[in-house]
Amino acid sequence: MQHMDTAGKEIFRFKEQHWHLLPERAIFWEEEKTLILSDLHLGKSAHFRKAGIAVPAGIMQEDLFRLQQLITRFLPVRIIIVGDMFHSRHNNEVQYFKIWRGQFSHIRFDLVLGNHDIMEEEIYSELQLDVHDTLTIRDIHFVHEPCEDSNGYRYTFSGHLHPGVVMAGPAKQRLRLPCFYFGQHCGILPAFGDFTGLATLNPSPGETVFVIAGKSIIQTH
């Protein structure tokens, strides 16, 4: 197994590009000076509270603070969200994001629509988000739901599944941890939002998986 330097000194070189795989559950694409993340599900906690389900406050603020730290560290010119940036319709957490977004009006935000991104078009415009069904940059394709083949692109990144793998330890310990998955044609990003679950993957031979274990990135396949 390979441990990656969380300070970003060791970079995953893949498809002729350089990708910083970050324990904060995002990727920094060096050539494009772009942060890539997926599945924030902003507004999900407010949606649950409105339905009478007790959910701790502050989850969304912590997610945005983590993103803010990455922006300060990498100084991206662009941020790509590969779907499910929001969880439901407009609520006060969306308004909070609008205020937060004002700090970074110089950064382009591209949202590839996911199945939970169901707000009206004018709201995305008010939030200064460029919205796409799919997005292609340098033959790298971004779409929310995972693909099965190349579709003619060099590579495709998706989200949606909130991928994780089971790690076995001594004394029969078993942990499910989030991961970055790189298949032959398609990669799947971990969910950036903390208020999300995990879907267990069973990688095939030849597929590459990087597990996020605290502040470490560990290559397991």
Side-chain angles (χ1 to χ4, degrees):
M1 293 191 295
Q2 175 184 353
H3 290 253
M4 298 187 69
D5 187 338
T6 58
K9 295 178 181 177
E10 187 171 347
I11 301 165
F12 184 40
R13 294 171 176 84
F14 185 70
K15 300 297 179 182
E16 303 173 15
Q17 303 292 298
H18 297 77
W19 314 91
H20 298 248
L21 306 185
L22 307 172
E24 292 86 354
R25 302 192 293 278
I27 294 175
F28 182 68
W29 185 2
E30 189 172 296
E31 283 75 9
E32 290 293 320
K33 297 182 180 178
T34 294
L35 276 172
I36 307 167
L37 50 143
S38 185
D39 296 275
L40 281 81
H41 288 274
L42 301 178
K44 183 175 182 179
S45 54
H47 176 75
F48 274 60
R49 286 194 296 271
K50 186 176 179 181
I53 301 171
V55 175
I59 295 173
M60 184 200 67
Q61 288 87 344
E62 291 175 5
D63 288 340
L64 290 179
F65 179 67
R66 185 157 36 94
L67 179 54
Q68 184 171 328
Q69 289 178 310
L70 292 178
I71 291 171
T72 301
R73 175 178 164 193
F74 288 98
L75 302 176
V77 299
R78 183 179 205 161
I79 295 176
I80 299 173
I81 300 99
V82 193
D84 285 357
M85 180 173 185
F86 301 97
H87 183 75
S88 187
R89 299 199 176 274
H90 191 284
N91 58 37
N92 29 351
E93 290 192 354
V94 176
Q95 188 62 29
Y96 181 95
F97 171 79
K98 182 178 180 180
I99 297 169
W100 180 91
R101 172 75 174 97
Q103 304 173 78
F104 307 107
S105 57
H106 61 289
I107 300 176
R108 174 171 179 165
F109 277 65
D110 286 295
L111 169 60
V112 178
L113 291 172
N115 53 298
H116 282 281
D117 296 311
I118 57 174
M119 294 189 296
E120 294 78 8
E121 290 183 13
E122 56 268 24
I123 295 178
Y124 296 118
S125 179
E126 290 174 7
L127 298 174
Q128 302 176 60
L129 300 174
D130 293 303
V131 174
H132 316 266
D133 290 324
T134 66
L135 178 66
T136 303
I137 303 170
R138 293 197 187 207
D139 291 334
I140 302 294
H141 193 55
F142 299 92
V143 63
H144 180 57
E145 297 200 14
C147 63
E148 295 181 359
D149 54 44
S150 67
N151 293 318
Y153 300 101
R154 180 188 296 179
Y155 204 73
T156 296
F157 279 110
S158 64
H160 186 61
L161 288 184
H162 311 172
V165 293
V166 175
M167 300 285 286
K172 299 183 178 180
Q173 296 170 326
R174 293 172 66 84
L175 292 174
R176 280 205 311 164
L177 298 172
C179 68
F180 298 93
Y181 161 86
F182 293 88
Q184 182 178 357
H185 302 295
C186 310
I188 307 175
L189 298 168
F192 187 84
D194 272 333
F195 191 27
T196 54
L198 288 177
T200 302
L201 299 181
N202 294 302
S204 300
E207 297 177 336
T208 303
V209 173
F210 292 94
V211 176
I212 302 166
K215 296 183 178 180
S216 297
I217 301 290
I218 304 169
Q219 183 176 350
T220 59
H221 289 78

